[in-house]
Amino acid sequence: MNVLSQYDSPLLNSAIRCLAQADIELHISKKRVKNINFRLKPHKLMVSVPISLSSAQTVQAIEKRVPWAIANHAHVLERYKRQQIPSQQSIKETSTADRTLLLWGVEQSFTLNHDKKIAYYRQHLSEVMPALFNKWQPIVGAYANEIRLKKMHTRWGSCNTRARRIWLSVYLPTYPIECTEYVIVHELCHLHHANHSRAFWQTVATAMPDYRYWHNMLAGKIGQLD
């Protein structure tokens, strides 16, 4: 059930207008879920909202996701079209999709082979890292001695607390840049707490109140593209 009529604010009306210009309709439903979840479908942005979440928090979260929805809608439509074509043609299209290049969650207009793709990600991540660390280190109240990149397939980041050395996965640029910011915050917080204790997560939440959204996106729980 779409409960959009229950929300009335200038911010939400502005978000609805922006989505409408991209031919996307906003649907909000209240469910027994722990976190607000977003699902982008052809011409629809589906939002599942925890029953306990306030209207102001809901509107603020939706406002943040509008640029993501608009940027990725064309990709969603293309994937939907591919699902409608015969299986043999679908196989050909899939081989092309495997070479799809994403930068900060947005599909690029060109493709690269594996090695050049890694170099491309490494270059763009290297370019934004100084500014992102300069932004978040004072907020977290912890400073790294060294920052490095490497190909990590099972982790998005790691921290050597003794050396105060932080590693970031070179694959991070495939996701929205906020995901990279979350990983940076996460690893910097390990300089305060070496484990994943309650105190650690409280430190993360204090520095980045919406960290769960980006954490879940990296874990593949929300922000799916249909």
Side-chain angles (χ1 to χ4, degrees), residues 133-180:
F133 273 89
N134 286 340
K135 171 185 175 180
W136 288 104
Q137 286 180 138
I139 294 174
V140 175
Y143 295 78
N145 290 337
E146 190 177 4
I147 305 158
R148 296 184 181 181
L149 306 179
K150 65 178 177 180
K151 291 168 63 176
M152 292 189 284
H153 297 282
T154 59
R155 293 183 181 181
W156 294 110
S158 64
C159 179
N160 183 319
T161 55
R162 289 187 178 182
R164 303 183 75 83
R165 180 186 303 118
I166 289 176
W167 293 88
L168 298 179
S169 170
V170 75
Y171 296 104
L172 277 169
T174 60
Y175 284 83
I177 197 167
E178 290 88 350
C179 289
T180 296

Side-chain angles (χ1 to χ4, degrees), residues 15 19 45 57 61 89 95 120 139 159 167 188 201 210 220 224:
L19 289 169
L45 176 58
Q57 290 174 309
Q89 183 66 21
S95 65
Y120 180 80
I139 294 174
C159 179
W167 293 88
L188 285 172
W201 288 112
D210 63 344
Q224 300 98 327

Side-chain angles (χ1 to χ4, degrees), residues 3-14:
V3 296
L4 186 59
S5 59
Q6 297 180 15
Y7 299 87
D8 183 20
S9 77
L11 284 178
L12 184 62
N13 292 336
S14 176

Side-chain angles (χ1 to χ4, degrees), residues 64-121:
K64 287 184 178 181
R65 300 313 294 150
V66 168
W68 166 82
I70 294 173
N72 286 282
H73 190 228
H75 184 48
V76 170
L77 293 176
E78 183 60 31
R79 288 186 60 184
Y80 177 76
K81 290 178 183 177
R82 285 202 298 268
Q83 292 171 359
Q84 311 306 310
I85 50 183
S87 57
Q88 185 174 2
Q89 183 66 21
S90 224
I91 293 173
K92 294 179 182 179
E93 293 290 340
T94 300
S95 65
T96 300
D98 289 340
R99 299 194 299 272
T100 297
L101 184 69
L102 296 174
L103 179 61
W104 307 126
V106 179
E107 184 176 356
Q108 303 302 294
S109 60
F110 57 95
T111 60
L112 296 172
N113 63 34
H114 178 73
D115 291 340
K116 290 184 178 179
K117 184 182 291 188
I118 297 302
Y120 180 80
Y121 291 152

